[in-house]
Amino acid sequence: MATTAGSRAGSLSSLREFNRLRIVDFLRTNGTASRAELARRTGLSRSTVSTLVADLQRRGLVAEKAGQFAGEGQPGRSAALLELDPSAAAAVGVDFDHDKVRVAVSDLSRSVLAEASAAHDVDHDSTGALDLAAELVQRVLDEAKIEPDRLLGVGIALAGPIDHDKGALHPSAVLPGWSEIDAANELERRLETPTYVDNDANLGALAEVTLGAGRNVRFAAYVSISSGIGAGIIVDGRPYRGHRGTAGEVGHVVVDPQGPICRCGNRGCLETLASGPALLRLVQDSRDEQLTVKKMIDLARDGDAGCMRAIADAGQVVGGVVAGLVNLFSPEMVVIGGDLGEAGDLLLDSLREAVRRDALPAAASELKIVAGELGERANLLGALALVLMQSEHEVAARVAGSAAA
Ligand SMILES: [Zn+2]
C-alpha cells in the first residue's frame, strides 16, 4: 500500500527506489497484475512502470506468470501478468486445532511448499502442542529447503478470542491450558523467528479473502460453524479485532433466552442451537448408528428428512444473526465455512432466506452469501497470510533492497 511504502520513503536513497517499492508492494498484496494495472493502481506513468518492472525482471525479482494473461487491453492483444519471484521469502503457518497441530510453509505467492500435521490434545496441553509445532515447523522448512534467513516469520491460529495485550487467549473454560500462555512469544523463543497470533475465525476470514471464495473482497464476514461458531470480520482487506480482540464472537449472541445453557455460562447462545454438536444432539436420538457432522451431511444429501431439517433450521437461525451482522457493517460478501459449511445449499438456502427476510434491504440486496472454498485448511492458510500481512515492510524492503544492490 502506498501509505506503508510512503512511511519508508525518507530512508530510501531515491524516488526510483520508492516507486519500485510501490510496485513490489502492490504485487505482494494482490499476487499478480499487468503493467497497465500497476500504472493505474500506483498512479505512476506507464513508461515509469515499464522501466521499473524491466529493472526488477532483470534481477529475477519479478517474473511474467507463465501462460497467464489479464483480460484487459485491446482485443487480440492480452497483457502479461506479473508476479513477485515467489522464492524471495517464505512464511510459516501453524494452526492449533482442538485435536491436532497443522503447519505449512509457503512462498510469497502463497503457494504451499510443504505441509505437516499430527494429532495432539491441543485443548489441554499447550506446552506439548507448542513443542510439537516447533518440531513440525522444522520438518517442513527442511522439506522445502528454506534457509532460516529467507523466513519472514510464523503465524499462529488459536481457537478463541485473543487478548492482544498479553498475546494469550482470554480466560475461558474451553481452553484452560492456553489463557496464561503467550503463544507467539513461546513459539518465537523455540524457533527464533518473528511470530504473530490471531483468532482462528479471523484467519479463516483472511484466507478466504486472499485465496478463497472472497478473493479481493475488501469488506467481508466469514462465519465458521464447527464445534463452536465464530465470525471473522474483514474491514478494508484486514481482520477487524475490536478493542478487546473479541470482535466476531457471533456464537455467543443470544437467540433464545430460554434455551440451553452454553459453555460460556449464558443461555440460548447461537452455538447451543446451530453448532455441529447441537445438530447431532437433535438427530442422534432417532437413530441407532453413531453420527458425525460429516455423516449427517451425507445423509441429508441422500434425502434423509431429519438431517435435512436439522441443517436447514440451523441455516435459518444462523441467518438471523448474520442479518444483524449485515446491518451493522454492510459487507459485500458473507462466506460460510467450518464443518457445517460443507453442507452447501442444504444450509445456505435457508440462511440466505433468513438474511433476506431480516436484514435491511439496502444492506442485503447486493450481498453475496457463499460457501467457503478452503475447507479445513482455511485457518492454516490464514496463518500464512497473516505473516505476509504483518511483514509487508520487510518483504518490500528485501525485494527492493536486493533490486537496488
Ligand atoms: Zn455462549
Side-chain angles (χ1 to χ4, degrees):
M1 271 153 277
T3 47
T4 315
S7 63
R8 297 185 58 87
S11 66
L12 295 173
S13 58
S14 71
L15 182 63
R16 190 182 168 90
E17 267 177 71
F18 173 60
N19 288 336
R20 197 158 40 207
L21 261 181
R22 292 170 67 186
I23 287 178
V24 166
D25 207 39
F26 186 85
L27 290 173
R28 186 197 54 72
T29 314
N30 294 275
T32 58
S34 67
R35 288 175 180 77
E37 190 181 4
L38 281 173
R40 204 165 53 240
R41 300 292 289 270
T42 59
L44 298 169
S45 75
R46 284 207 186 202
S47 63
T48 303
V49 166
S50 290
T51 309
L52 294 173
V53 165
D55 193 19
L56 289 163
Q57 275 182 301
R58 212 168 25 248
R59 292 159 203 270
L61 297 166
V62 165
E64 289 187 357
K65 206 168 160 75
Q68 286 202 29
F69 301 94
E72 54 181 59
Q74 295 140 8
R77 258 192 69 197
S78 43
L81 275 181
L82 301 160
E83 65 175 354
L84 285 186
D85 170 14
S87 68
V92 162
V94 178
D95 178 19
F96 289 108
D97 204 351
H98 299 283
D99 56 0
K100 65 179 93 56
V101 177
R102 300 170 203 265
V103 310
V105 56
S106 83
D107 61 21
L108 280 185
S109 72
R110 304 185 176 88
S111 302
V112 171
L113 305 171
E115 201 168 338
S117 73
H120 192 81
D121 183 4
V122 171
D123 290 2
H124 298 98
D125 178 20
S126 50
T127 306
L130 286 157
D131 288 339
L132 175 62
E135 195 184 306
L136 293 175
V137 168
Q138 208 49 62
R139 197 189 300 171
V140 294
L141 288 176
D142 290 346
E143 194 183 326
K145 299 188 171 58
I146 304 292
E147 299 297 326
D149 64 338
R150 272 173 59 204
L151 186 58
L152 287 169
V154 176
I156 300 177
L158 284 184
I162 290 161
D163 181 341
H164 286 277
D165 291 339
K166 292 185 186 159
L169 287 180
H170 282 292
S172 82
V174 190
L175 294 171
W178 288 88
S179 58
E180 298 301 319
I181 293 232
D182 182 337
N185 213 337
E186 287 291 322
L187 208 53
E188 186 160 327
R189 194 167 55 73
R190 287 167 172 80
L191 294 166
E192 295 178 341
T193 189
T195 303
Y196 315 95
V197 63
D198 209 339
N199 163 263
D200 55 358
N202 287 355
L203 294 179
L206 184 62
E208 290 287 354
V209 297
T210 316
L211 297 162
R215 202 160 178 259
N216 298 326
V217 171
R218 307 299 292 170
F219 295 87
Y222 167 80
V223 181
S224 168
I225 314 175
S226 292
S227 56
I229 302 179
I233 297 170
I234 298 292
V235 174
D236 206 16
R238 289 170 166 259
Y240 172 76
R241 293 166 168 171
H243 173 55
R244 294 284 288 146
T246 59
E249 287 296 316
V250 293
H252 302 283
V253 170
V254 175
V255 291
D256 177 7
Q258 311 303 325
I261 299 286
C262 180
R263 57 182 175 148
C264 75
N266 214 333
R267 278 193 88 149
C269 294
L270 179 62
E271 253 182 43
T272 64
L273 301 179
S275 64
L279 266 58
L280 289 178
R281 277 193 297 275
L282 278 180
V283 292
Q284 186 64 65
D285 274 0
S286 58
R287 52 204 85 213
D288 299 329
E289 63 173 329
Q290 189 63 39
L291 289 183
T292 60
V293 170
K294 186 178 179 311
K295 180 78 188 156
M296 177 180 66
I297 293 171
D298 287 345
L299 285 168
R301 285 212 179 96
D302 291 341
D304 180 296
C307 293
M308 286 170 72
R309 177 66 189 267
I311 294 170
D313 284 356
Q316 195 164 47
V317 62
V318 172
V321 171
V322 168
L325 203 62
V326 167
N327 279 358
L328 283 175
F329 93 108
S330 183
E332 179 183 343
M333 180 182 278
V334 175
V335 181
I336 307 294
D339 299 347
L340 205 61
E342 303 290 322
D345 285 342
L346 289 166
L347 176 81
L348 292 184
D349 282 348
S350 60
L351 197 157
R352 290 186 184 109
E353 195 184 301
V355 174
R356 254 199 311 276
R357 186 193 59 207
D358 293 352
L360 205 62
S365 60
E366 291 180 7
L367 175 72
K368 292 184 273 293
I369 301 177
V370 301
E373 288 179 1
L374 303 176
E376 58 176 16
R377 288 169 82 228
N379 303 342
L380 179 62
L381 297 174
L384 289 168
L386 175 69
V387 177
L388 296 178
M389 190 182 84
Q390 296 284 8
S391 52
E392 54 195 15
H393 298 271
E394 178 72 8
V395 177
R398 274 192 201 203
V399 177
S402 41

